[in-house]
Structure formats: structure tokens, C-alpha cells
Amino acid sequence: PEPAGPDQILMRLYGLTAAESRVARKLLELESPKLVTTFLCRSEEAMRCQLKSVFAKTGVNSQGRLLKLLYALASQ
């Protein structure tokens, strides 16, 4: 089988949807919710909603902690 990409890993580990996984991955790359919103062509409200859901599913309560978690996963 083909190795799982970052989106599939986040979906499997944390139960993220494909859209939430893309938001988390882009946040790791761009480190700015505003840039992610622009890059993914989403409204700020949709982005905020998805980010809150990502926080809840990963058990973090801030962007900094989410980035720390994602960096740790990326380094494995």
C-alpha cells in the first residue's frame, strides 16, 4: 500500500475531516490563519469554525499548541 500523506495521518489520528486536515497542514506551512484563509479561498468565519474544530479534536486550545503538536508529528 501507498504511504499515508500528512492529511490522511491527521484524519486517522484525530478524526479530522479532509477540510480540517488541509487547514491544519496549511497552518503548519504558513503559520497565519489569515494567509490560510486566503490560500484556501475560505471565508474567515469558515476558517475560524474549522480551526475551532481542529483544536477540539486534537485537544489543544491555541494556535501555538496546535503548531507544536503538528511540528512534533512532522518530525516523526
Side-chain angles (χ1 to χ4, degrees), residues 2 5 10 14-15 17-18 22-23 27 29 34-41 46 53-54 57 60 64 66 73:
E2 209 174 293
L10 289 171
Y14 298 104
T17 65
R22 276 191 302 279
V23 165
L27 187 60
E29 291 174 20
K34 204 157 202 68
L35 288 175
V36 173
T37 299
T38 301
F39 186 86
L40 295 177
C41 301
S53 183
V54 170
K57 289 179 180 182
V60 302
L66 178 62
L73 287 173

Side-chain angles (χ1 to χ4, degrees), residues 2-72:
E2 209 174 293
D7 288 350
Q8 290 80 18
I9 291 169
L10 289 171
M11 291 166 68
R12 191 173 350 165
L13 287 175
Y14 298 104
L16 301 183
T17 65
E20 292 166 346
S21 180
R22 276 191 302 279
V23 165
R25 184 173 42 83
K26 278 297 169 195
L27 187 60
L28 180 63
E29 291 174 20
L30 302 174
E31 296 188 6
S32 163
K34 204 157 202 68
L35 288 175
V36 173
T37 299
T38 301
F39 186 86
L40 295 177
C41 301
R42 288 199 167 57
S43 70
E44 286 187 40
E45 185 178 329
M47 171 67 180
R48 204 169 321 139
C49 182
Q50 286 180 324
L51 203 49
K52 281 184 181 181
S53 183
V54 170
F55 286 175
K57 289 179 180 182
T58 58
V60 302
N61 59 5
S62 71
Q63 180 182 329
R65 291 195 176 169
L66 178 62
L67 289 174
K68 191 174 182 177
L69 172 72
L70 295 173
Y71 281 126

